[in-house]
Amino acid sequence: MSSKVRVRFAPSPTGPLHMGGVRTALYNYLFAKKHQGDFILRVEDTDQTRFVPGAEDYIIESLKWCGIEPNEGQGYGGDFGPYKQSERKHLYRQYVDQLIESGHAYYAFDTAEELNEQRELAKSQGKAGWQYNSITRQYLKNSLSLSADEIKQKLDEGEPYVIRIKLPRNEEVRFYDEIRGWVVVNTANMDDKVLYKSDGMPTYHMANIVDDHLMEITHVIRGEEWLPSAPLHILLYQYLGWEAPKLAHLPLILKPDGNGKLSKRDGDRLGFPVFPLEWKDPKTGDISSGYREKGYFPEAFVNMLAFLGWNPGTPQEIFSLDGLVEAFSLERVGKSGSKFDPEKTKWYNQQYLREKSGEELAQLLKPSLSFDVSDEFLAGVCELMKERALFIQEMLEDDYFFEAPQAYDEKTIKKKWKDQTPEIITELTSRYEQLEDFSAKKIEETFKSFLAEKELGMGAVLPNFRVLVTGKGMGPSMFQISELLGKEEVINRLKTGLERLEKQKA
RNA sequence: GGCCCGUUCGUCUAACGGCUAGGACGCCAGGUUUUCAUCCUGGUAAUAGGGGUUCGAUUCCCCUACGGGCUACCA
């Protein structure tokens, strides 16, 4: 009896989606598609204090840009909604009550201040890591330590309370992690986590378990930061009498230099985006750069992300999304954290840039253009430029394609412009004028036979030809550039350039 | 501090006990090119340390070191 695979990506709308989060979403997506399953987006907004406007839309748009859209969930609908936890608030209480009735949870009336005092006290005695557990709960204010009357009175008076899980003192909790294998933790090292907050909202732990169960999630694929709380979740499933989904904890993405989790700061410091899309902080107005705005292709970004912690076991490194789906498996996900490499990301982008035709690139570029140019011409520019570019916007960096040069590269002039150059150029120009078919091939033939006739080397003429037409000392093939610009334009540029340079000399 | 997870070239990684530890990025050198880029060829560089188990360990076990995560009425 194999039920349909259902996985979920469950971010909190507390800010822009970090690329680590995108990778988690990606792996979930790949796993779902690989097994003809469902990929669900659930928004975990149980902490109202951390809500950031715009974050939810940002998450949805990011996934969309990456091409890893959920087929069910917040913004997509489905039979298991609502998909936002704040809208599911009414669902959780009954399960918490069930836990209380079965003796697996209890009321606790201690205030945050009181608990902080306990922690401070423990700390001052040299004991870090104070816990609300099977020992300490005996002398704290909760429904296990207080009398029935006291409890009733507090509840009747409306005194704020939380509900905590009641953990056994010394019991081994074990679970099989699809990536790490068996993990064993003793409840003696765990604490009685809050399941239900005094504001009437469940905590992550409770909401997570209830929703995963109700939404019939079969596999939980999430970041390694959740590994320590996995035993708690296992216990919760057990106490609720539910079958736990399979768990897989992904290794973290680390900063490129030094150690530690990749953070927004690292991107700012080292000059690369950590977010898929640009994000403007609604409070501070600060802008964080995004891969999309930097000119990365979503395919390249996704390809790079997929390989950060996973590999197909073959030398192939370039994969389309469908290819990734085909090749993906949880078994080939590594156990250790991966340092992010911005250089390799650029390389991925370059690979995708090359695969695109001039026409495709032209279409992508067109919306950002501030001047008029034909599709055909723009495609020609892209065709010439793409071999030497990493990013699509570099196609437009050489403005000589769109207007005659105003200045001429001094280094080239100094090195290559000789006394006899004007004469050579003048004659070359007239040869070009006689050309009927101004194609790259013909231009090159004309140019080369001219050189042979005059017994001149490439180096004596081509750089000057280039600098007059483009103003630059380097670039793509001059013959192809010439064909693209057209006979009239090339001849014009040669003539006016020659004039200007001679005037300068005089 | 406690608990958990991890550790192969600078980086991403391959090698599911058995060839000179392979590939990719980067870097360096040579070639191609009018030039830059591309491209081609070559080079650089790793099993954290120590014990076991074994005929044989990158691979299995233990210890140490180092790194990371968690340790909230945050997710």
Side-chain angles (χ1 to χ4, degrees):
Chain A
M1 255 229 332
S2 63
S3 57
K4 188 177 192 188
V5 166
R6 287 173 58 83
V7 298
R8 96 279 125 114
F9 177 55
S12 291
T14 55
L17 187 58
H18 183 276
M19 59 191 271
V22 178
R23 190 195 57 169
T24 302
L26 173 64
Y27 285 10
N28 272 284
Y29 173 91
L30 295 177
F31 184 81
K33 298 300 159 193
K34 171 86 181 183
H35 298 97
Q36 292 88 40
D38 292 326
F39 173 50
I40 295 142
L41 175 64
R42 184 173 73 222
V43 173
E44 309 221 326
D45 59 345
T46 51
D47 185 359
Q48 293 123 329
T49 63
R50 293 211 305 159
F51 175 79
V52 173
E56 184 183 313
D57 288 341
Y58 179 97
I59 290 164
I60 292 172
E61 203 186 336
S62 294
L63 297 182
K64 195 176 276 183
W65 181 67
C66 291
I68 49 176
E69 287 196 75
N71 55 308
E72 181 182 328
Q74 183 64 13
Y76 293 88
D79 298 336
F80 296 81
Y83 293 94
K84 195 195 279 202
Q85 289 180 332
S86 58
E87 295 171 7
R88 300 172 65 79
K89 192 173 175 180
H90 59 284
L91 286 165
Y92 305 111
R93 181 67 204 221
Q94 56 184 302
Y95 299 107
V96 179
D97 286 339
Q98 187 187 325
L99 288 171
I100 290 176
E101 278 158 33
S102 63
H104 292 299
Y106 59 92
Y107 295 91
F109 302 96
D110 321 88
T111 64
E113 292 72 39
E114 288 167 345
L115 294 179
N116 276 333
E117 275 171 35
Q118 291 291 335
R119 291 194 184 90
E120 290 301 318
L121 186 67
K123 208 172 173 186
S124 68
Q125 293 171 344
K127 282 178 276 188
W130 180 86
Q131 293 189 142
Y132 203 117
N133 60 20
S134 60
I135 313 281
T136 57
R137 70 183 174 220
Q138 294 173 53
Y139 54 86
L140 289 160
K141 288 191 287 182
N142 54 59
S143 58
L144 298 176
S145 63
L146 301 171
S147 70
D149 285 349
E150 283 173 308
I151 297 162
K152 188 174 186 305
Q153 190 189 344
K154 282 180 184 295
L155 290 177
D156 288 347
E157 285 172 0
E159 187 168 320
Y161 63 86
V162 300
I163 294 169
R164 290 178 179 271
I165 188 170
K166 182 187 174 193
L167 290 183
R169 178 163 296 189
N170 180 4
E171 191 176 290
E172 287 206 327
V173 184
R174 58 180 62 229
F175 65 94
Y176 185 79
D177 185 284
E178 299 296 311
I179 292 170
R180 282 148 218 286
W182 285 101
V183 177
V184 185
V185 181
N186 194 296
T187 53
N189 297 315
M190 298 164 60
D191 59 349
D192 290 354
K193 281 270 180 292
V194 172
L195 301 177
Y196 200 75
K197 301 187 268 190
S198 55
D199 65 359
M201 281 293 263
T203 58
Y204 166 83
H205 304 293
M206 191 65 203
N208 191 264
I209 268 59
V210 170
D211 287 344
D212 282 347
H213 177 255
L214 261 26
M215 294 181 183
E216 296 177 13
I217 299 301
T218 57
H219 299 257
V220 170
I221 304 169
R222 78 235 292 195
E224 193 183 353
E225 69 268 26
W226 294 111
L227 194 53
S229 55
L232 174 72
H233 302 162
I234 293 294
L235 247 21
L236 245 14
Y237 282 112
Q238 201 179 301
Y239 295 161
L240 257 2
W242 295 339
E243 190 187 343
K246 292 204 180 346
L247 301 179
H249 291 92
L250 268 21
L252 266 18
I253 297 179
L254 278 16
K255 49 187 80 208
D257 60 340
N259 299 309
K261 208 157 61 157
L262 180 69
S263 72
K264 170 176 156 9
R265 283 265 159 271
D266 301 311
D268 297 342
R269 186 167 53 84
L270 269 17
F272 61 84
V274 296
F275 302 114
L277 317 179
E278 193 170 276
W279 166 261
K280 185 176 178 188
D281 190 289
K283 268 209 188 101
T284 64
D286 288 349
I287 290 180
S288 300
S289 68
Y291 280 89
R292 182 178 64 183
E293 288 73 13
K294 282 272 181 186
Y296 285 87
F297 297 116
E299 308 95 288
F301 178 62
V302 164
N303 198 155
M304 174 279 292
L305 236 29
F307 271 71
L308 223 45
W310 170 87
N311 76 83
T314 67
Q316 186 181 348
E317 290 196 89
I318 302 299
F319 280 85
S320 66
L321 195 55
D322 287 343
L324 287 172
V325 168
E326 182 63 28
F328 188 78
S329 77
L330 241 28
E331 295 84 70
R332 294 208 67 88
V333 173
K335 293 177 174 59
S336 53
S338 332
K339 288 188 183 180
F340 171 66
D341 183 358
E343 290 305 316
K344 188 110 188 197
T345 311
K346 289 180 189 167
W347 177 81
Y348 273 110
N349 206 62
Q350 183 185 32
Q351 302 306 306
Y352 281 89
L353 184 61
R354 278 205 213 136
E355 285 307 307
K356 297 204 188 293
S357 68
E359 286 79 14
E360 283 176 281
L361 294 171
Q363 286 311 312
L364 288 170
L365 239 22
K366 227 179 151 190
S368 62
L369 246 44
S370 56
F371 50 88
D372 262 352
V373 60
S374 78
D375 287 6
E376 199 190 344
F377 184 81
L378 190 57
V381 173
C382 291
E383 202 58 59
L384 287 184
M385 294 299 290
K386 70 175 190 181
E387 283 299 309
R388 64 201 58 236
L390 252 38
F391 297 102
I392 190 166
Q393 58 269 42
E394 289 172 49
M395 306 290 110
L396 301 174
E397 275 173 10
D398 283 343
D399 51 8
Y400 57 75
F401 282 111
F402 311 104
E403 56 184 359
Q406 298 302 311
Y408 301 91
D409 183 63
E410 285 180 32
K411 258 173 86 180
T412 308
I413 300 294
K414 201 173 165 191
K415 219 170 129 187
K416 298 290 184 184
W417 197 271
K418 300 282 165 27
D419 290 343
Q420 68 273 30
T421 303
E423 195 186 320
I424 297 170
I425 294 294
T426 305
E427 194 161 346
L428 181 64
T429 306
S430 72
R431 298 280 173 106
Y432 284 162
E433 280 177 313
Q434 289 158 32
L435 259 182
E436 293 272 326
D437 171 17
F438 204 68
S439 66
K441 190 168 169 252
K442 288 287 177 203
I443 299 165
E444 184 168 0
E445 278 172 19
T446 308
F447 184 86
K448 283 188 172 161
S449 60
F450 173 71
L451 288 191
E453 202 181 299
K454 298 286 175 187
E455 295 186 332
L456 289 163
M458 278 280 209
V461 190
L462 238 172
N464 287 318
F465 175 30
R466 177 185 297 281
V467 82
L468 286 171
V469 175
T470 71
K472 306 277 191 212
M474 56 184 111
S477 158
M478 266 320 289
F479 308 117
Q480 287 181 297
I481 291 177
S482 298
E483 177 184 322
L484 189 62
L485 290 175
K487 182 172 169 180
E488 194 186 340
E489 182 68 19
V490 170
I491 286 164
N492 259 335
R493 289 189 186 187
L494 282 170
K495 285 182 174 170
T496 57
L498 188 58
E499 231 170 80
R500 281 188 201 157
L501 285 175
E502 282 308 289
K503 207 180 278 174
Q504 266 178 37
K505 293 249 164 182

